[in-house]
Amino acid sequence: MKRVITYGTFDLLHYGHINLLRRAKAQGDYLVVALSTDEFNWNQKQKKSYFSYEERKAMLEAIRYVDLVIPEENWDQKKTDVEKYNIDVFVMGDDWEGKFDFLKDQCEVVYLPRTPEISTTKIKAELHT
Ligand code: C2G
């Protein structure tokens, strides 16, 4: 059983997120998604998500590629998460290229190309027009 993990806010869920989750799952057999809590978003990422943690968690759990959703509460939990969940592959979009290479002594680290032309920021901007 090859176990994969990825992290994110996944707010205003869109096909770029789904593309990432599909490819992350394809790296193994079991996908854990560490979902940024509302507090983490606000205090550490200066993001206010539109949907609450519980709402975003429910949406992720409805996606066929996702096997488990856990809270992401701080930047520093990745090493312990990889241990705790016996992770073989850590996956992130390539906007994070290189940022998590410190995990390479624990697991494989894979950065996947982002889906172009779609982002929550773009959606919000276009909804205002
Ligand atoms: N993503 C993508 N293509 C897009 C938009 C997002 O592949 N058009 C990917 C991102 O690269 C990321 C994942 O979808 O891997 C989730 O995106 P966000 O919710 O924006 O995640 P982020 O805020 O970057 O949080 O500790 C890591 C952070 O929690 C990552």
Side-chain angles (χ1 to χ4, degrees):
M1 163 89 80
K2 204 168 177 189
R3 301 164 65 87
V4 186
I5 196 166
T6 192
Y7 291 72
T9 298
F10 295 97
D11 191 40
L12 296 192
L13 198 62
H14 55 67
Y15 63 87
H17 297 133
I18 303 300
N19 280 343
L20 187 285
L21 294 169
R22 178 175 40 75
R23 288 174 295 159
K25 179 59 174 281
Q27 300 287 326
D29 315 287
Y30 187 88
L31 176 60
V32 180
V33 179
L35 181 62
S36 309
T37 61
D38 296 333
E39 300 73 21
F40 178 55
N41 274 327
W42 185 244
N43 300 325
Q44 302 293 325
K45 294 168 93 172
Q46 286 76 46
K47 288 199 208 186
K48 179 158 181 14
S49 53
Y50 181 79
F51 291 116
S52 71
Y53 175 80
E54 287 309 320
E55 289 163 338
R56 290 179 287 120
K57 179 171 184 282
M59 283 187 255
L60 283 173
E61 285 171 342
I63 298 170
R64 70 177 69 174
Y65 309 120
V66 177
D67 296 291
L68 176 67
V69 179
I70 63 169
E72 178 186 29
E73 295 165 307
N74 60 69
W75 291 113
D76 309 316
Q77 67 183 73
K78 294 181 176 67
K79 286 185 89 65
T80 43
D81 287 348
V82 167
E83 283 304 308
K84 188 172 167 187
Y85 295 95
N86 298 313
I87 297 299
D88 303 293
V89 191
F90 171 94
V91 174
M92 283 306 290
D94 61 4
D95 46 321
W96 292 92
E97 183 80 41
K99 297 285 189 308
F100 303 114
D101 289 357
F102 64 86
L103 292 169
K104 282 185 173 172
D105 55 348
Q106 286 179 263
C107 62
E108 233 183 295
V109 175
V110 174
Y111 300 103
L112 297 171
R114 277 174 69 93
T115 301
E117 306 302 315
I118 181 76
S119 69
T120 304
T121 314
K122 185 168 185 280
I123 295 168
K124 285 179 178 172
E126 289 183 12
L127 284 178
H128 279 300
T129 48

